[in-house]
Coordinates of all heavy atoms in Angstrom, one line a residue:
M141 N 105.4 84.1 190.0 CA 106.5 83.4 190.6 C 107.7 84.4 190.8 O 107.9 85.3 189.9 CB 107.0 82.3 189.7 CG 106.1 81.2 189.6 SD 106.7 79.8 188.5 CE 105.9 80.1 187.1
E142 N 108.3 84.3 191.8 CA 109.5 85.2 192.0 C 110.6 84.4 192.8 O 110.2 83.6 193.6 CB 109.2 86.5 192.7 CG 108.6 86.3 194.0 CD 108.1 87.6 194.6 OE1 107.5 88.4 194.0 OE2 108.5 87.9 195.8
G143 N 111.8 84.7 192.5 CA 112.9 84.0 193.3 C 113.1 84.8 194.6 O 112.9 86.0 194.7
K144 N 113.5 84.0 195.6 CA 113.8 84.6 196.9 C 115.2 85.1 196.9 O 116.1 84.4 196.2 CB 113.5 83.6 198.0 CG 112.1 83.2 198.2 CD 112.0 82.2 199.3 CE 110.5 81.9 199.6 NZ 110.4 80.9 200.7
F145 N 115.5 86.2 197.7 CA 116.9 86.7 197.7 C 117.9 85.6 198.3 O 117.5 85.0 199.3 CB 116.9 87.9 198.5 CG 118.2 88.6 198.6 CD1 118.7 89.2 197.5 CD2 118.9 88.7 199.8 CE1 120.0 89.8 197.5 CE2 120.1 89.3 199.8 CZ 120.7 89.9 198.7
L146 N 118.9 85.4 197.6 CA 120.0 84.4 198.0 C 119.4 83.0 198.2 O 119.8 82.3 199.0 CB 120.7 84.9 199.3 CG 121.4 86.2 199.1 CD1 121.9 86.6 200.6 CD2 122.5 86.1 198.2
S147 N 118.4 82.6 197.4 CA 117.9 81.3 197.5 C 117.5 80.8 196.0 O 117.3 81.5 195.2 CB 116.6 81.3 198.3 OG 115.9 80.0 198.3
K148 N 117.6 79.5 195.9 CA 117.3 78.9 194.7 C 115.7 78.4 194.6 O 115.3 78.0 193.6 CB 118.1 77.6 194.4 CG 119.6 78.0 194.3 CD 120.4 76.7 193.9 CE 121.8 77.1 193.7 NZ 122.6 76.0 193.3
K149 N 115.1 78.7 195.7 CA 113.6 78.3 195.8 C 112.7 79.4 195.4 O 113.1 80.6 195.5 CB 113.3 77.9 197.2 CG 114.0 76.6 197.7 CD 113.7 76.3 199.1 CE 114.4 75.1 199.5 NZ 114.1 74.7 200.9
L150 N 111.6 79.2 194.8 CA 110.7 80.1 194.2 C 109.5 80.4 195.1 O 109.1 79.5 195.8 CB 110.2 79.6 192.8 CG 111.3 79.5 191.8 CD1 110.7 78.7 190.6 CD2 111.9 80.8 191.4
K151 N 109.0 81.6 195.1 CA 107.8 82.0 195.8 C 106.7 82.1 194.8 O 106.9 82.8 193.8 CB 108.0 83.3 196.5 CG 106.8 83.7 197.4 CD 107.0 85.1 198.0 CE 105.8 85.5 198.8 NZ 105.9 86.8 199.4
V152 N 105.6 81.4 195.0 CA 104.5 81.3 194.1 C 103.2 81.8 194.6 O 102.9 81.5 195.7 CB 104.4 79.9 193.5 CG1 103.2 79.7 192.5 CG2 105.6 79.3 193.1
K153 N 102.4 82.6 193.8 CA 101.1 83.1 194.3 C 100.2 82.8 193.1 O 100.4 83.2 192.0 CB 101.1 84.6 194.5 CG 99.8 85.1 195.0 CD 99.8 86.5 195.3 CE 98.5 87.0 195.9 NZ 97.2 86.7 195.2
V154 N 99.2 81.9 193.3 CA 98.3 81.4 192.4 C 97.0 82.2 192.5 O 96.4 82.2 193.6 CB 98.0 79.8 192.5 CG1 97.0 79.4 191.5 CG2 99.3 79.2 192.4
D155 N 96.6 82.8 191.5 CA 95.3 83.6 191.4 C 94.4 82.8 190.4 O 94.6 82.8 189.3 CB 95.6 84.9 190.9 CG 94.3 85.9 191.0 OD1 93.1 85.2 191.1 OD2 94.4 87.1 190.9
L156 N 93.3 82.2 191.1 CA 92.4 81.5 190.1 C 91.0 82.3 190.0 O 90.2 81.8 189.3 CB 92.1 80.1 190.8 CG 93.2 79.2 190.9 CD1 92.8 77.9 191.6 CD2 93.9 78.8 189.5
G157 N 90.9 83.4 190.6 CA 89.6 84.1 190.5 C 89.2 84.8 191.8 O 90.0 84.8 192.7
D158 N 88.0 85.3 191.8 CA 87.6 86.2 192.9 C 86.5 85.5 193.9 O 86.3 86.0 194.9 CB 86.9 87.4 192.4 CG 87.9 88.3 191.7 OD1 89.1 88.3 192.1 OD2 87.5 89.1 190.8
S159 N 86.0 84.3 193.5 CA 85.1 83.7 194.4 C 85.8 83.1 195.5 O 87.0 82.9 195.5 CB 84.3 82.6 193.7 OG 85.0 81.4 193.5
D160 N 85.0 82.9 196.7 CA 85.7 82.3 197.9 C 86.4 81.0 197.6 O 87.4 80.7 198.1 CB 84.6 82.1 199.0 CG 84.2 83.5 199.6 OD1 84.9 84.5 199.4 OD2 83.2 83.5 200.2
E161 N 85.7 80.1 196.8 CA 86.2 78.7 196.4 C 87.5 79.0 195.6 O 88.4 78.2 195.9 CB 85.1 78.0 195.7 CG 85.5 76.7 195.3 CD 84.4 75.9 194.6 OE1 83.4 75.5 195.3 OE2 84.5 75.8 193.4
Q162 N 87.6 79.9 194.6 CA 88.7 80.1 193.8 C 89.9 80.7 194.7 O 91.0 80.3 194.5 CB 88.4 81.0 192.7 CG 87.4 80.4 191.6 CD 87.0 81.4 190.7 OE1 86.7 82.6 191.1 NE2 86.6 81.1 189.5
I163 N 89.6 81.6 195.6 CA 90.6 82.1 196.4 C 91.3 81.0 197.3 O 92.5 80.9 197.4 CB 90.1 83.2 197.3 CG1 89.8 84.4 196.4 CG2 91.0 83.7 198.4 CD1 88.9 85.6 197.0
T164 N 90.4 80.2 198.0 CA 90.9 79.2 198.8 C 91.7 78.1 198.0 O 92.8 77.8 198.5 CB 89.7 78.3 199.4 OG1 88.9 79.3 200.2 CG2 90.1 77.2 200.3
E165 N 91.3 77.7 196.8 CA 92.1 76.8 196.0 C 93.4 77.4 195.6 O 94.4 76.7 195.6 CB 91.2 76.4 194.7 CG 91.9 75.4 193.9 CD 92.1 74.0 194.6 OE1 91.3 73.7 195.7 OE2 93.0 73.2 194.4
G166 N 93.4 78.7 195.2 CA 94.7 79.4 194.8 C 95.6 79.4 196.0 O 96.8 79.2 195.8
E167 N 95.1 79.7 197.2 CA 96.0 79.7 198.4 C 96.6 78.4 198.6 O 97.8 78.2 199.0 CB 95.2 80.2 199.6 CG 94.9 81.6 199.5 CD 94.0 82.1 200.7 OE1 93.4 81.3 201.4 OE2 93.8 83.4 200.8
K168 N 95.8 77.3 198.4 CA 96.3 75.9 198.7 C 97.4 75.6 197.7 O 98.5 75.0 198.0 CB 95.2 74.9 198.5 CG 94.2 74.8 199.6 CD 93.2 73.8 199.4 CE 92.0 73.8 200.4 NZ 91.0 72.9 200.1
L169 N 97.2 76.0 196.4 CA 98.2 75.8 195.3 C 99.4 76.5 195.6 O 100.6 76.1 195.4 CB 97.6 76.0 193.9 CG 96.7 75.0 193.3 CD1 96.1 75.5 192.1 CD2 97.5 73.7 193.1
S170 N 99.2 77.8 196.0 CA 100.4 78.6 196.4 C 101.3 78.0 197.4 O 102.5 78.0 197.3 CB 99.9 80.0 196.9 OG 99.3 80.7 195.9
E171 N 100.7 77.4 198.4 CA 101.5 76.7 199.5 C 102.3 75.5 198.9 O 103.4 75.3 199.3 CB 100.5 76.3 200.7 CG 100.1 77.4 201.5 CD 99.2 77.0 202.7 OE1 99.4 75.9 203.2 OE2 98.2 77.7 203.0
V172 N 101.5 74.7 198.1 CA 102.2 73.5 197.6 C 103.4 73.9 196.7 O 104.4 73.2 196.7 CB 101.1 72.7 196.7 CG1 101.7 71.6 195.9 CG2 100.1 72.1 197.7
L173 N 103.2 75.0 195.9 CA 104.1 75.3 194.8 C 105.3 76.2 195.3 O 106.4 76.1 194.7 CB 103.5 76.0 193.7 CG 102.5 75.1 192.9 CD1 101.7 76.0 191.9 CD2 103.1 74.0 192.3
T174 N 105.2 76.9 196.5 CA 106.2 77.8 196.9 C 107.3 76.8 197.4 O 107.1 75.8 198.0 CB 105.7 78.6 198.1 OG1 104.8 79.7 197.4 CG2 106.7 79.4 198.8
N175 N 108.5 77.4 197.2 CA 109.8 76.7 197.6 C 110.2 75.6 196.6 O 111.2 74.8 196.9 CB 109.8 76.1 199.0 CG 109.7 77.2 200.0 OD1 110.2 78.2 199.8 ND2 109.0 77.0 201.1
K176 N 109.5 75.4 195.5 CA 110.0 74.5 194.4 C 111.2 75.2 193.8 O 111.5 76.4 194.0 CB 109.0 74.4 193.3 CG 107.7 73.7 193.7 CD 107.7 72.2 193.5 CE 106.4 71.6 193.8 NZ 106.5 70.2 194.3
K177 N 112.1 74.4 193.2 CA 113.4 74.9 192.9 C 113.4 75.3 191.4 O 114.4 76.0 191.0 CB 114.5 73.9 193.1 CG 114.7 73.6 194.6 CD 115.7 72.7 194.9 CE 115.8 72.4 196.4 NZ 116.8 71.3 196.7
S178 N 112.4 75.0 190.5 CA 112.6 75.4 189.2 C 111.1 75.8 188.7 O 110.1 75.3 189.1 CB 113.1 74.3 188.3 OG 112.2 73.2 188.1
Y179 N 111.1 76.7 187.7 CA 109.9 77.0 186.9 C 109.3 75.8 186.4 O 108.0 75.5 186.3 CB 110.1 78.0 185.9 CG 110.5 79.4 186.5 CD1 111.8 79.8 186.5 CD2 109.6 80.2 187.1 CE1 112.3 81.0 187.0 CE2 109.9 81.4 187.7 CZ 111.2 81.8 187.5 OH 111.6 83.1 188.2
A180 N 110.2 74.8 185.8 CA 109.6 73.7 185.1 C 108.8 72.8 186.1 O 107.8 72.2 185.7 CB 110.7 72.9 184.5
S181 N 109.4 72.6 187.2 CA 108.6 71.8 188.2 C 107.3 72.2 188.6 O 106.4 71.5 188.8 CB 109.5 71.6 189.5 OG 109.7 72.7 190.3
I182 N 107.2 73.6 188.7 CA 105.9 74.2 188.9 C 104.9 74.0 187.8 O 103.7 73.6 188.0 CB 106.1 75.8 189.2 CG1 106.8 75.9 190.5 CG2 104.7 76.5 189.3 CD1 107.3 77.3 190.8
L183 N 105.4 74.3 186.6 CA 104.5 74.1 185.3 C 104.2 72.6 185.2 O 103.0 72.3 184.9 CB 105.2 74.6 184.2 CG 105.6 76.1 184.1 CD1 106.4 76.4 182.9 CD2 104.1 76.8 184.0
N184 N 105.0 71.7 185.5 CA 104.7 70.3 185.3 C 103.6 69.9 186.4 O 102.8 69.1 186.1 CB 106.0 69.4 185.6 CG 106.9 69.5 184.4 OD1 106.5 69.8 183.3 ND2 108.3 69.2 184.6
Y185 N 103.8 70.4 187.6 CA 102.8 70.1 188.6 C 101.4 70.6 188.2 O 100.4 69.8 188.3 CB 103.2 70.7 190.0 CG 102.2 70.4 191.0 CD1 102.3 69.2 191.8 CD2 101.1 71.2 191.3 CE1 101.4 68.9 192.8 CE2 100.3 70.9 192.3 CZ 100.4 69.7 193.1 OH 99.4 69.4 194.0
M186 N 101.4 71.9 187.7 CA 100.1 72.4 187.3 C 99.5 71.7 186.1 O 98.3 71.4 186.1 CB 100.3 73.9 187.0 CG 100.7 74.8 188.1 SD 99.4 75.0 189.4 CE 98.1 76.0 188.6
S187 N 100.3 71.2 185.2 CA 99.9 70.4 184.0 C 99.4 69.1 184.5 O 98.3 68.6 184.0 CB 101.0 70.2 183.1 OG 100.7 69.4 182.0
K188 N 100.0 68.4 185.5 CA 99.6 67.2 186.0 C 98.2 67.2 186.6 O 97.5 66.3 186.5 CB 100.6 66.7 187.0 CG 100.3 65.3 187.6 CD 101.2 64.9 188.7 CE 102.6 64.6 188.2 NZ 103.5 64.0 189.2
I189 N 97.8 68.4 187.2 CA 96.5 68.5 187.8 C 95.4 69.1 187.0 O 94.3 69.4 187.4 CB 96.6 69.3 189.2 CG1 97.1 70.6 189.0 CG2 97.4 68.4 190.2 CD1 96.9 71.4 190.4
G190 N 95.9 69.2 185.6 CA 94.9 69.7 184.7 C 94.9 71.1 184.1 O 94.1 71.5 183.3
Y191 N 95.9 71.9 184.5 CA 96.0 73.2 184.0 C 96.8 73.4 182.8 O 97.8 72.4 182.6 CB 96.5 74.1 185.2 CG 95.6 74.4 186.2 CD1 95.6 73.6 187.4 CD2 94.6 75.4 186.1 CE1 94.6 73.8 188.4 CE2 93.7 75.6 187.1 CZ 93.7 74.9 188.3 OH 92.8 75.1 189.2
E192 N 96.7 74.3 182.0 CA 97.5 74.4 180.8 C 98.1 75.9 180.7 O 97.3 76.9 181.0 CB 96.6 74.2 179.6 CG 97.3 74.4 178.2 CD 96.2 74.2 177.1 OE1 95.1 73.7 177.3 OE2 96.6 74.4 175.9
L193 N 99.3 76.0 180.3 CA 100.0 77.3 180.2 C 99.5 77.9 178.9 O 99.6 77.4 177.9 CB 101.4 77.1 180.3 CG 102.2 78.5 180.0 CD1 102.0 79.4 181.1 CD2 103.7 78.2 180.0
L194 N 98.9 79.1 179.0 CA 98.4 79.8 177.8 C 99.2 81.0 177.4 O 99.4 81.4 176.2 CB 96.9 80.2 178.0 CG 95.9 79.0 178.2 CD1 94.6 79.6 178.4 CD2 95.9 78.1 177.0
Q195 N 99.7 81.7 178.4 CA 100.4 82.9 178.2 C 101.4 83.2 179.3 O 101.1 82.9 180.5 CB 99.4 84.1 178.1 CG 100.0 85.4 177.8 CD 98.9 86.5 177.7 OE1 97.8 86.3 177.8 NE2 99.4 87.7 177.3
T196 N 102.5 83.9 179.0 CA 103.4 84.3 180.1 C 103.5 85.8 180.0 O 103.3 86.4 179.0 CB 104.8 83.6 179.9 OG1 105.4 84.0 178.8 CG2 104.7 82.1 180.1
K197 N 104.0 86.4 181.2 CA 104.3 87.9 181.2 C 105.7 88.1 181.6 O 106.3 87.3 182.5 CB 103.3 88.6 182.1 CG 101.9 88.5 181.7 CD 101.0 89.3 182.7 CE 99.6 89.2 182.3 NZ 98.7 89.9 183.3
N198 N 106.3 89.1 181.2 CA 107.6 89.5 181.6 C 107.6 90.4 182.8 O 106.7 91.2 183.0 CB 108.4 90.2 180.6 CG 108.7 89.2 179.4 OD1 108.9 88.0 179.8 ND2 109.0 89.7 178.2

């Protein structure tokens, strides 16, 4: 996730793996999550569809 310059909306890139199916699903999630206004809303959405946050990076 990264913030856009002079914007409160976030740009999200989801990487679920290397198979064609994983890439396609990651691209779909990226589109849905991009332009959300908070990290919490992104994490809540991912949690709602069954994902769990295990680790973060700086």
Side-chain angles (χ1 to χ4, degrees):
M141 293 181 260
E142 62 184 46
K144 294 181 177 182
F145 184 67
L146 296 177
S147 176
K148 293 182 180 181
K149 296 180 181 178
L150 299 169
K151 181 178 180 183
V152 180
K153 182 176 187 307
V154 179
D155 183 347
L156 299 175
D158 293 331
S159 74
D160 290 340
E161 186 177 280
Q162 291 167 325
I163 291 169
T164 301
E165 186 63 25
E167 289 172 349
K168 287 179 187 176
L169 281 172
S170 296
E171 287 181 34
V172 168
L173 297 172
T174 291
N175 293 326
K176 296 273 187 205
K177 294 180 182 179
S178 73
Y179 294 102
S181 66
I182 292 167
L183 293 172
N184 288 337
Y185 181 87
M186 295 295 288
S187 177
K188 184 186 287 187
I189 62 171
Y191 290 93
E192 179 181 349
L193 178 64
L194 298 177
Q195 182 179 5
T196 62
K197 295 182 181 182
N198 290 333

